[in-house]
Amino acid sequence: MNVFHIKYDELFSIDNLFLAWSRFRSGKAWKYDIMSFEHHLENNIFALYEELHSRTYKHSQYEHFIVFDKKKRDIHKACVKDRLVHQLLYDYLSKIFEPIFISDSYSSRKNKGSHKAVMAFKYFMKLAGGRGAGCFILKCDIKKYFDSVNHDILLDIIKKRVCDDEIFGIIKEVTESFVRKTDCGLPLGNITSQIFANIYLNELDWFVKRKLRARFYIRYNDDFVIIGANKKKLLHYLGEIRRFVSERLKLDAPPEKCELRKSAWGVDFLGFVVADNFTLLRNTTKKNMAANINRNNIASYLGLLSHCDSFNLRLKILADFYSRQE
């Protein structure tokens, strides 16, 4: 069992708080709440240290706002003080759990990401398809995943690998600081939610790999695919997975969120349509790109297009962009 041995006072030391601050502010030092906290940095960090050292730390309320990124998302943002604690817990839990995560889990992990998940997907399709015979893809996702993560189950998983009871108490405080429904929910916007989400579905990952012995399995957040040549076996996997996530994790993978497709038809996965012989950008992404392209985002758009078959689309995007500059 992988356990990272550190005591409460070591984890929440002054030195660690300042080191965590350096990591936390990276890339967002220009934001108002970060600048405000940094204006009195030493006073604020020493005040947080006193709360942690005296064992009186309590998580504050969240600020709620809505963003529209492909779909409506409810974001719950913690104050800077709490997010600094989140950073320390994220670093701590990553050291414990990263070594036991499977290699083909790609969300919110260093040197992973959606593009590498799509590359692995394409590679697995070639392996599973054999000599051009094609294959089948079982694609599923969890209904309202972040809202449905059960706190008791999550904490039980974490407790098995966290030695220090007082550190576990802070993890419990952060976990229970947000509730979407009875004893459930992770807030979109917390860095701890990223590691909690992976810890929770790591149970599914190992069930698929060890129990079902599925060779070609990829997960990105709550979206996952299994690739294989045997349609009947994939349907068996689906039944076993739905039963496992319901009984063990109290989650729902309803039939409308699961589909079995031939690889030749193409599968919509992480913003791309991936098939045996092509990888295309999803139509909705194309429309958004055409409508919103400007001087500030053209480089990132062209970077995105470099990951799929998009020669003609790149020409069109560039033509549209330069026509708007005239």
Side-chain angles (χ1 to χ4, degrees):
M1 180 176 291
N2 188 65
V3 178
F4 180 56
H5 293 280
I6 190 171
K7 296 295 184 182
Y8 179 94
D9 288 323
E10 293 177 76
L11 180 61
F12 298 111
S13 68
I14 283 292
D15 287 345
N16 270 351
L17 285 168
F18 275 101
L19 287 171
W21 172 256
S22 297
R23 291 191 294 276
F24 167 71
R25 74 185 290 279
S26 178
K28 46 185 178 284
W30 55 272
K31 293 188 175 181
Y32 176 78
D33 55 350
I34 306 296
M35 291 191 293
S36 179
F37 190 92
E38 193 164 38
H39 187 64
H40 301 286
L41 182 62
E42 290 191 3
N43 289 340
N44 286 326
I45 286 186
F46 273 96
L48 174 57
Y49 170 76
E50 285 301 320
E51 286 184 43
L52 291 163
H53 186 67
S54 62
R55 277 60 172 178
T56 58
Y57 170 79
K58 295 294 180 185
H59 200 284
S60 305
Q61 294 294 311
Y62 289 89
E63 175 191 354
H64 171 249
F65 57 94
I66 297 172
V67 298
F68 292 89
D69 176 19
K70 299 177 185 176
K71 61 180 180 180
K72 176 184 172 184
R73 297 182 189 276
D74 288 290
I75 305 298
H76 292 83
K77 181 180 177 183
C79 69
V80 174
K81 178 189 77 171
D82 293 321
R83 283 150 63 200
L84 189 51
V85 174
H86 298 173
Q87 181 69 55
L88 274 171
L89 292 180
Y90 175 86
D91 295 340
Y92 169 77
L93 289 170
S94 293
K95 288 175 181 175
I96 295 174
F97 284 94
E98 270 293 332
I100 64 170
F101 288 157
I102 67 167
S103 61
D104 286 307
S105 163
Y106 287 89
S107 176
S108 305
R109 296 180 65 194
K110 189 176 180 179
N111 300 320
K112 298 287 186 177
S114 60
H115 294 314
K116 288 196 174 180
V118 171
M119 288 172 61
F121 186 20
K122 292 162 66 176
Y123 177 64
F124 284 172
M125 285 173 64
K126 288 181 180 178
L127 292 180
R131 299 177 181 176
C135 56
F136 295 93
I137 294 102
L138 173 64
K139 178 177 178 287
C140 303
D141 69 74
I142 305 297
K143 182 179 180 181
K144 295 183 177 179
Y145 175 53
F146 277 80
D147 289 346
S148 303
V149 170
N150 183 281
H151 292 172
D152 291 337
I153 295 173
L154 173 63
L155 290 169
D156 182 62
I157 295 167
I158 293 173
K159 178 66 173 173
K160 293 174 182 176
R161 297 180 183 272
V162 172
C163 292
D164 190 287
D165 289 340
E166 290 184 306
I167 294 176
F168 180 76
I170 298 296
I171 295 170
K172 189 171 187 287
E173 172 70 22
V174 170
T175 302
E176 296 180 346
S177 66
F178 178 83
V179 177
R180 198 63 166 171
K181 52 186 181 181
T182 307
D183 297 326
C184 292
L186 298 176
L188 293 176
N190 272 14
I191 191 173
T192 45
S193 295
Q194 297 174 13
I195 188 75
F196 288 161
N198 274 336
I199 289 170
Y200 204 75
L201 282 184
N202 188 52
E203 301 290 300
L204 170 63
D205 296 341
W206 283 110
F207 172 77
V208 171
K209 300 301 286 184
R210 284 180 176 160
K211 180 70 174 178
L212 300 183
R213 296 189 176 278
R215 182 181 176 190
F216 302 124
Y217 166 80
I218 296 168
R219 181 176 64 81
Y220 187 92
N221 239 336
D222 61 317
D223 291 323
F224 55 95
V225 293
I226 303 177
I227 304 103
N230 189 317
K231 181 178 179 180
K232 185 176 180 181
K233 182 179 285 188
L234 290 175
L235 289 173
H236 170 71
Y237 289 166
L238 175 59
E240 292 295 307
I241 287 169
R242 293 190 64 212
R243 186 180 302 109
F244 177 83
V245 297
S246 176
E247 294 176 359
R248 171 70 179 99
L249 300 176
K250 308 300 181 189
L251 299 173
D252 185 21
E256 63 270 20
K257 284 188 168 287
C258 302
E259 60 176 341
L260 183 65
R261 295 178 62 85
K262 290 182 178 179
S263 57
W265 299 347
V267 176
D268 191 331
F269 185 60
L270 303 181
F272 297 93
V273 177
V274 185
D276 288 332
N277 300 315
F278 61 81
T279 303
L280 303 177
L281 200 63
R282 183 189 287 161
N283 284 332
T284 53
T285 308
K286 290 181 190 176
K287 292 177 182 177
N288 290 335
M289 187 179 291
N292 299 312
I293 190 167
N294 57 51
R295 190 181 299 275
N296 296 323
N297 61 28
I298 186 169
S300 61
Y301 280 163
L302 292 175
L304 176 64
L305 290 172
S306 70
H307 294 279
C308 60
D309 301 311
S310 59
F311 180 78
N312 291 332
L313 181 57
R314 272 182 281 178
L315 292 180
K316 183 179 185 304
I317 288 292
L318 286 169
D320 289 346
F321 171 74
Y322 286 117
S323 67
R324 295 180 189 182
Q325 308 307 306
E326 296 175 357

